[in-house]
Amino acid sequence: MSTERLLRIAVPNKGALAEPAAAMLRAAGYRQRTDAKDLTLIDADHGVEFYYLRPRDIAVYIGRGHLDVGITGRDMLLDSGAEAIEMMALGFGGSRFRFAAPGGSQLTVADVAGKRVATSYPGLLEAYLDERGISAEMVKLDGAVESAIRLGVADVVADVVDTGTTLKRAGLELFGDAICTSEAVLIRRADAELPPGVAGLETRLTSVLVAQNYLMMDYNVEQENLAETIALAPGVEGPTVSTLAKDGWSAVRVLVPREGAHLLMDRLYDAGARGILLTELAACRL
């Protein structure tokens, strides 16, 4: 296969998204770099070439058409202003973008008007305020915005929040609704024809997401209790039922949601299921 036909995929090279993105691609069957210094990697078997870039730069490369698709954060995509759009959410790297002010300020979003706001995401913040007709002075910082108020640089900060512990330690408290709820997303250039290979990539990533949300359950049950157990765990397209060597018993295999799986095991046991097993899935296509 010639290199011109390889699907070019941007992957975060550092930060909180880097390792989960690589792990998801591995789970989807793609090769990934073993040396963090490698800037590119070709997986010729699957017709793709990976480019390892700063997460903040990925939307720019995609928007300008230099690469086909990429993985970055929704917050970074929106902040970039690039001609790129979200294709699918990937289920990791979750965070919220929130306002914070000194404890006891009791501010609302409307109170941000006329104030100095320190942020590392000026594009995202400006779009949010413009939608609400709020005018504020933007103070762009590359990081550690929680110190901006104490140092007299800003009156309010807008930052990515996970637990909020860092902001609390700085004597700040959150206010207002989330400006943006973010997670890792697969993106592509807006208003551009999808290149060959993207559909296969989406299918593989979706299979990993399904596997993360489901488990395989196996159990044995007497014929008289089979209908009750199937009603408790009907599966996605119905369970697989096989006859056991033990007379009057069946073996059942069914896909079940990960959430509540152990409670389901309890109910199945009470309904007569025995030898109940739960198995992790690497990938699953429905």
Side-chain angles (χ1 to χ4, degrees), residues 9-33 50-53 55 58 70-73 76 90-93 183-186 201 204-205 208-209 212:
I9 304 173
V11 184
N13 67 345
K14 60 178 65 176
L17 299 182
E19 185 49 43
M24 188 173 195
L25 289 166
R26 288 191 195 97
Y30 296 102
R31 289 180 55 211
Q32 286 297 285
R33 63 180 183 175
F50 296 102
Y51 290 79
Y52 298 91
L53 304 167
I58 286 175
I71 296 173
T72 188
M76 288 179 271
L90 300 178
F92 65 88
E183 65 179 295
V185 293
L186 181 70
L201 172 67
R204 284 172 175 249
L205 293 178
V208 175
L209 287 174
Q212 291 172 352

Side-chain angles (χ1 to χ4, degrees), residues 29-48:
Y30 296 102
R31 289 180 55 211
Q32 286 297 285
R33 63 180 183 175
T34 55
D35 188 339
K37 295 180 181 179
D38 290 341
L39 301 179
T40 62
L41 181 143
I42 293 177
D43 184 347
D45 290 341
H46 297 101
V48 299

Side-chain angles (χ1 to χ4, degrees), residues 137-220:
E137 180 185 344
M138 215 72 61
V139 180
K140 185 181 183 304
L141 300 175
D142 286 336
V145 299
E146 64 274 3
S147 300
I149 296 176
R150 181 181 299 174
L151 295 174
V153 174
D155 308 302
V156 175
V157 302
D159 199 14
V160 173
V161 177
D162 184 8
T163 63
T165 301
T166 302
L167 291 173
K168 289 177 182 177
R169 286 175 180 168
L172 305 178
E173 64 180 16
L174 302 174
F175 70 90
D177 295 329
I179 300 166
C180 171
T181 300
S182 184
E183 65 179 295
V185 293
L186 181 70
I187 66 172
R188 68 175 179 88
R189 187 179 181 187
D191 300 324
E193 183 178 345
L194 286 175
V198 171
L201 172 67
E202 286 187 274
T203 298
R204 284 172 175 249
L205 293 178
T206 299
S207 74
V208 175
L209 287 174
V210 172
Q212 291 172 352
N213 292 305
Y214 285 87
L215 296 168
M216 184 63 71
M217 179 176 284
D218 293 90
Y219 62 87
N220 300 331

Side-chain angles (χ1 to χ4, degrees), residues 95-111:
S95 65
R96 295 164 298 142
F97 191 57
R98 299 286 304 275
F99 285 113
S105 300
Q106 297 183 331
L107 297 182
T108 66
V109 174
D111 294 326

Side-chain angles (χ1 to χ4, degrees), residues 197-277:
V198 171
L201 172 67
E202 286 187 274
T203 298
R204 284 172 175 249
L205 293 178
T206 299
S207 74
V208 175
L209 287 174
V210 172
Q212 291 172 352
N213 292 305
Y214 285 87
L215 296 168
M216 184 63 71
M217 179 176 284
D218 293 90
Y219 62 87
N220 300 331
V221 64
E222 283 189 278
Q223 189 64 34
E224 63 187 39
N225 297 321
L226 178 60
E228 184 178 355
T229 60
I230 289 178
L232 287 169
V236 177
E237 294 182 352
T240 299
V241 181
S242 305
T243 301
L244 282 179
K246 185 177 181 180
D247 189 45
W249 282 71
S250 296
V252 181
R253 166 165 282 194
V254 62
L255 203 61
V256 300
R258 179 181 296 272
E259 185 175 353
H262 288 276
L263 287 174
L264 177 59
M265 290 179 73
D266 295 340
R267 296 189 182 106
L268 286 169
Y269 189 88
D270 291 341
R274 296 295 182 266
I276 307 172
L277 303 176

